[in-house]
């Protein structure tokens, strides 16, 4: 009998444990620092758990060497994820953009079926058991926890990253691996709200808009996306913002976010609409110019942003003024001050360097028998189920223990 310890009972660790337990010669133990496993999983997808994306491919992942992820992702594809969860009895539903959720719309369902499968496989879970240190002991390992030590023959580090600190995001995994000689790259939050100069967002707090988003640095567009944008107390958030947030973290201050609230509509079409409104309702105040086209508060803000006094009547607006308002709606620019940091980030960009791991097994090239999976490695995915897909795929591969 071989003992396998998995440090971390999150998405990748639970999958790694199930994968290792398929070999009946393995006794598998999960050490989890929190009171219960899968705590972060319960908060994913706003509590609905966007568990995979049917379009996930290596191209959706980032890191110093994103190609590293290819083997694991191709060995355990989104289709495999769906078949795996279906075999556990989970019903799922695909939504727009290939995002898959449990039919119950509750992340609890995902964790529940994993928990039942772990019980059935005889995997032991020790909760409230943070691994403090791990070291080589002969051909095996000893893991030291606050309440005692555990010996094992193979060790899988699945401690996740720094993102979502309130849900248990910590740096422990990097430190455990560092002591085995593993280096890590610079860490920063990705899929994270952006902090912008305060003037506009605070007044727009709570508004959601559909927009094309561009991230510009020195006048050049460095990233773009489309979809929902939410204004927050300190800046902007939402799926379309998350999509450019990794690039924004790299740019830092000096970059700007440009929002086009009329994506998919031509400037001619919008000019005609504004002229028609001027003709039909000349007595209306200019602040009402965009009424029905944008959220009221946002519409008023765009008029103000174009430098037009709210009390001026629409009929008195020149073509040039209409054009200015339209330009503001199509290029609503916010100065970037930074990101909201690890507390609000959904994933950690950067991590333990993949150069020192074999992509075909996820075994350490420095320490035989030591494996790592999930977010602790320097791989992060796009927004939309890609990070959990990496957790499942890499957990599945690491749990094979080189088989
Ligand atoms: C709010 C939020 C929403 C998200 N939504 C989605 C989504 O809808 N779809 C998607 O694909 N991704 C989503 N993600 C990202 C996704 O949750 C993570 O990428 C994924 O959980 C990473 O899995 P992991 O196993 O590597 O790490 P985790 O899930 O973080 O698990 C790591 C586990 O290790 C434990 N641990 C850490 N240190 C120790 C130690 N020393 N000893 C013992 N245990 C330890 C932790 O307590 C934790 O349980 C979201 C993230 C957040 C924060």
């Amino acid at each position: 009998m071989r003992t396998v310890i998995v440090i971390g009972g999150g998405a990748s660790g639970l999958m790694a444990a199930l994968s290792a337990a398929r070999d009946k010669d393995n006794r598998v133990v999960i050490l989890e620092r929190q009171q219960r496993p899968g705590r972060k999983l319960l908060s994913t997808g706003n509590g609905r758990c966007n568990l995979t994306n049917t379009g996930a491919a290596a191209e959706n992942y980032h890191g110093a060497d994103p190609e590293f992820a290819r083997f694991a992702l191709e060995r355990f594809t989104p289709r495999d994820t769906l078949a795996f969860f279906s075999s556990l009895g989970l019903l799922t539903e695909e939504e727009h953009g290939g995002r898959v959720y449990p039919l119950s719309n509750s992340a609890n369902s995902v964790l529940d079926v994993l928990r039942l499968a772990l019980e059935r496989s005889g995997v032991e879970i020790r909760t409230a058991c943070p691994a403090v240190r791990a070291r080589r002991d002969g051909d095996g390992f000893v893991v030291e926890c606050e309440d005692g030590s555990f010996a094992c023959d193979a060790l899988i580090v699945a401690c996740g990253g720094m993102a979502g600190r309130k849900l248990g995001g910590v740096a422990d995994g990097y430190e455990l691996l560092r002591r085995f000689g593993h280096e890590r790259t610079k860490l920063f939050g990705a899929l994270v709200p952006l902090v912008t100069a305060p003037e506009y967002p605070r007044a727009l707090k709570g508004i959601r808009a559909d927009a094309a988003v561009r991230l510009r640095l020195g006048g050049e567009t460095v990233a773009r996306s489309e979809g929902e944008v939410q204004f927050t107390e300190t800046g902007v958030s939402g799926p379309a913002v998350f999509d450019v947030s990794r690039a924004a973290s790299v740019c830092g201050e000096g970059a700007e976010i440009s929002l086009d609230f009329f994506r998919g509509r031509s400037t001619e079409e919008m000019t005609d609409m504004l002229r028609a409104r001027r003709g039909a309702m000349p007595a209306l105040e200019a602040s009402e110019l965009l009424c029905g086209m944008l959220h009221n508060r946002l519409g008023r803000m765009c008029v103000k942003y174009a430098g037009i006094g709210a009390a001026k009547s629409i009929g008195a607006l020149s073509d040039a003024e209409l054009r200015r308002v339209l330009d503001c709606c199509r290029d609503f620019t916010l100065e970037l001050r930074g990101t909201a940091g690890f507390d609000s980030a959904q994933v950690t960009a950067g991590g333990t360097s993949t150069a020192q791991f074999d992509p075909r097994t996820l075994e350490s090239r420095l320490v035989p028998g030591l494996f790592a999976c999930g977010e602790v490695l320097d791989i992060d995915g796009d927004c939309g189920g890609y990070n959990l897909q990496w957790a499942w795929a890499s957990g599945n591969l690491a749990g094979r223990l080189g088989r």
Side-chain angles (χ1 to χ4, degrees):
M1 200 74 173
R2 166 168 71 162
T3 300
V4 181
I5 287 186
V6 180
I7 308 181
S12 69
L14 299 178
M15 179 58 105
L18 283 170
S19 172
R22 255 184 255 134
D23 182 340
K24 294 299 163 212
D25 285 338
N26 290 338
R27 170 182 167 247
V28 185
V29 183
I30 297 175
L31 306 179
E32 167 53 51
R33 77 181 260 285
Q34 301 189 76
Q35 297 296 331
R36 53 180 301 188
R39 179 146 176 250
K40 192 185 282 182
L41 196 55
L42 292 179
S43 296
T44 56
N46 284 326
R48 293 176 65 214
C49 185
N50 177 192
L51 69 147
T52 188
N53 190 298
T54 53
E59 290 65 35
N60 300 108
Y61 293 86
H62 317 278
D65 176 20
E67 270 301 303
F68 177 87
R70 187 179 290 278
F71 185 86
L73 292 165
E74 290 181 356
R75 180 117 195 218
F76 197 82
T77 63
R79 190 187 287 247
D80 294 319
T81 297
L82 295 180
F84 168 79
F85 278 104
S86 171
S87 76
L88 302 190
L90 185 78
L91 289 177
T92 55
E93 187 86 337
E94 183 175 337
E95 296 189 4
H96 69 280
R99 294 163 191 241
V100 179
Y101 295 85
L103 184 67
S104 66
N105 267 327
S106 166
N108 271 302
S109 300
V110 179
L111 186 56
D112 284 345
V113 295
L114 286 169
R115 208 169 30 75
L116 294 176
L118 288 158
E119 264 174 48
R120 213 168 46 238
S121 305
V123 173
E124 287 170 48
I125 305 182
R126 293 183 180 246
T127 53
C129 189
V132 180
R133 218 165 287 113
R135 58 181 161 80
R136 205 62 167 135
D137 183 33
D139 285 346
F141 301 88
V142 169
V143 181
E144 294 170 23
C145 295
E146 279 169 9
D147 298 337
S149 305
F150 299 85
C152 62
D153 304 289
L155 181 61
I156 303 176
V157 176
C159 294
M162 298 275 288
R165 268 203 284 237
K166 287 178 195 136
L167 303 167
V170 284
D172 293 19
Y174 311 120
E175 181 56 20
L176 289 166
L177 288 166
R178 191 190 62 78
R179 286 176 180 244
F180 285 110
H182 282 281
E183 289 161 9
R184 86 162 161 73
T185 62
K186 184 167 179 267
L187 307 177
F188 53 96
L191 308 190
V192 62
L194 300 181
V195 178
T196 61
E199 299 89 294
Y200 301 110
R202 198 160 293 155
L204 297 173
K205 186 181 163 189
I207 292 177
R208 290 162 196 258
D210 183 69
V213 180
R214 272 177 298 160
L215 173 70
R216 282 196 299 242
L217 184 64
E220 296 280 314
T221 298
V222 291
R224 58 175 80 228
S225 68
E226 292 183 343
E228 187 181 296
V229 171
Q230 295 159 16
F231 286 90
T232 68
E233 173 88 25
T234 53
V236 280
S237 184
V241 170
F242 284 175
D243 282 337
V244 299
S245 64
R246 191 182 203 281
S249 292
V250 176
C251 293
E253 282 194 42
E256 56 188 23
I257 294 289
S258 159
L259 304 174
D260 175 359
F261 299 120
F262 294 137
R263 72 175 175 118
R265 292 173 195 278
S266 70
T267 296
E268 290 66 40
E269 180 190 349
M270 294 313 303
T271 306
D272 287 348
M273 271 194 87
L274 295 186
R275 283 189 181 141
R277 167 139 311 164
R278 183 177 58 186
M281 303 173 194
L284 267 189
E285 285 187 357
S287 60
E288 304 293 326
L289 178 66
L290 296 163
C291 179
M293 300 176 212
L294 293 179
H295 185 290
N296 276 345
R297 261 195 289 150
L298 180 58
R300 283 190 211 113
M301 183 61 82
C302 286
V303 171
K304 185 173 166 196
Y305 188 87
I308 292 168
K312 193 168 181 177
S313 70
I314 290 182
L317 294 178
S318 66
D319 276 358
E321 284 173 315
L322 292 187
R323 179 67 202 217
R324 230 161 58 215
V325 173
L326 194 51
D327 286 348
C328 289
C329 298
R330 305 218 78 153
D331 185 12
F332 192 84
T333 303
L334 300 164
E335 204 184 297
L336 188 68
R337 291 277 164 87
T339 75
F342 285 113
D343 283 356
S344 312
Q346 290 202 354
V347 71
T348 313
T352 301
S353 173
T354 52
Q356 296 165 324
F357 285 85
D358 181 345
R360 301 178 75 83
T361 56
L362 300 186
E363 185 169 15
S364 162
R365 293 190 197 275
L366 310 180
V367 185
L370 174 67
F371 297 79
C373 55
E375 207 176 302
V376 73
L377 289 170
D378 175 20
I379 294 290
D380 60 288
D382 292 340
C383 181
Y386 299 93
N387 286 297
L388 283 174
Q389 180 57 31
W390 168 244
W392 312 132
S394 60
N396 172 68
L397 184 59
R400 288 171 181 265
L401 305 171
R403 270 179 281 133

